Amino acid sequence: TSFDAYSLMLDTQVRTLDQPRELTLSMSTTSPLLADQAVRAELHSLLDVPLIARLAAGRSADLRVPPHTQARNPEEGPPALLPGLTGEEGRPLRLGVNPADDSAVAAGRSIVDLLSRFGVAAEVTTTDLGDLAGNLLPAGKVDAVIAWEGSSGGPLEMADQWLCPPDPETPRAGNLSGYCTPETDAMARSLLSGETPAPEGQAFFAGQNAREHVRVPLLGERRVLVLGEGIVGPDPDLDNWTAGISTVASWRKQ
């Protein structure tokens, strides 16, 4: 209701702005549970992205749901792999989230509940992203991480997300999944050097992700911008502002 509430105020401009960021589930390819592509594909098939997006955002209006595949219906029967891996003979699937990120925590808890309908044991591990990326992911103590990451498709961003880590046990940077092949690393380095244009890189990595099920976008970031009197920004018309708080250096008092 934020948009409607601010719209009632006199001399106030209100608009929504989609940011190039998405709340994303990154599956660790060095995890003892998710190292196999078939297991990652099965986990992906169980994720009801529109439902997770609503629960993560805490709303159903003005919601930006990323492109997604149809989720498996519980009436189709239990999945073949994950229940056995996370049952009595295994351990729960561990989803790492930053406790300071309410959306990530809500998404993690929602996924745990969703998976329980399919007989898959899962739990949320809460700690800061530095601990997740630096310690728990490389050690295989969490199997996936839910965090915000860039979705602009720029060369530097794609390279950051797909460059091979120096070693599977080293701290993770942008590539939280740890996924690494000679082909993906070569493409990431080609994007960094400028040899490969961004659209070609986007198509390559989209295809790679569709086959390997490394990242699952869950929610697109959408913000509400509100401009009252007394501030002069990039343009008198808020509809012509292409960014939010990042333009603050150009603001001045009226």
Side-chain angles (χ1 to χ4, degrees), residues 19-28 43-44 47 49 52-53 56 64-67 95-98 101 103-105 107-108 111 129 132 137 143-152 157 161-162 174-177 209 213-221:
Q19 300 282 65
R21 292 206 313 159
E22 290 175 333
L23 186 66
T24 302
L25 174 73
S26 297
M27 304 188 204
S28 176
L43 175 57
H44 189 179
L47 301 178
V49 171
I52 296 168
R64 187 159 69 91
V65 180
L95 306 174
V97 300
N98 183 348
D101 187 337
S103 296
V105 171
I111 292 172
L129 193 56
L132 289 169
L137 276 173
D143 306 295
V145 169
I146 302 171
W148 292 94
E149 65 175 35
S151 60
S152 68
E157 181 182 270
Q161 293 170 355
W162 289 94
N175 184 357
L176 293 176
S177 72
N209 193 53
H213 304 275
V214 176
R215 289 183 175 83
V216 183
L218 303 172
L219 173 67
E221 184 179 66

Side-chain angles (χ1 to χ4, degrees), residues 40 43 65 107 113 130 140 142 162 184-185 189 209 225 247 252:
R40 297 195 300 272
L43 175 57
V65 180
D113 292 338
V142 296
W162 289 94
T184 56
D185 196 61
R189 294 183 184 281
N209 193 53
L225 301 185
T247 65
R252 60 181 176 83

Side-chain angles (χ1 to χ4, degrees), residues 7-97:
S7 297
L8 295 175
M9 300 173 67
L10 293 175
D11 301 315
T12 300
Q13 300 180 62
V14 188
R15 64 167 292 201
T16 58
L17 179 68
D18 289 343
Q19 300 282 65
R21 292 206 313 159
E22 290 175 333
L23 186 66
T24 302
L25 174 73
S26 297
M27 304 188 204
S28 176
T29 57
T30 62
S31 151
L33 295 182
L34 300 180
D36 189 343
Q37 181 269 353
V39 180
R40 297 195 300 272
E42 187 173 85
L43 175 57
H44 189 179
S45 74
L46 305 181
L47 301 178
D48 186 336
V49 171
L51 175 59
I52 296 168
R54 292 196 298 272
L55 294 171
R59 66 180 190 276
S60 56
D62 282 321
L63 195 66
R64 187 159 69 91
V65 180
H68 57 277
T69 57
Q70 183 72 31
R72 182 189 182 102
N73 191 316
E75 295 179 0
E76 297 177 34
L81 302 172
L82 279 166
L85 291 172
T86 63
E88 295 181 1
E89 301 299 323
R91 66 161 174 80
L93 179 73
R94 294 170 181 156
L95 306 174
V97 300

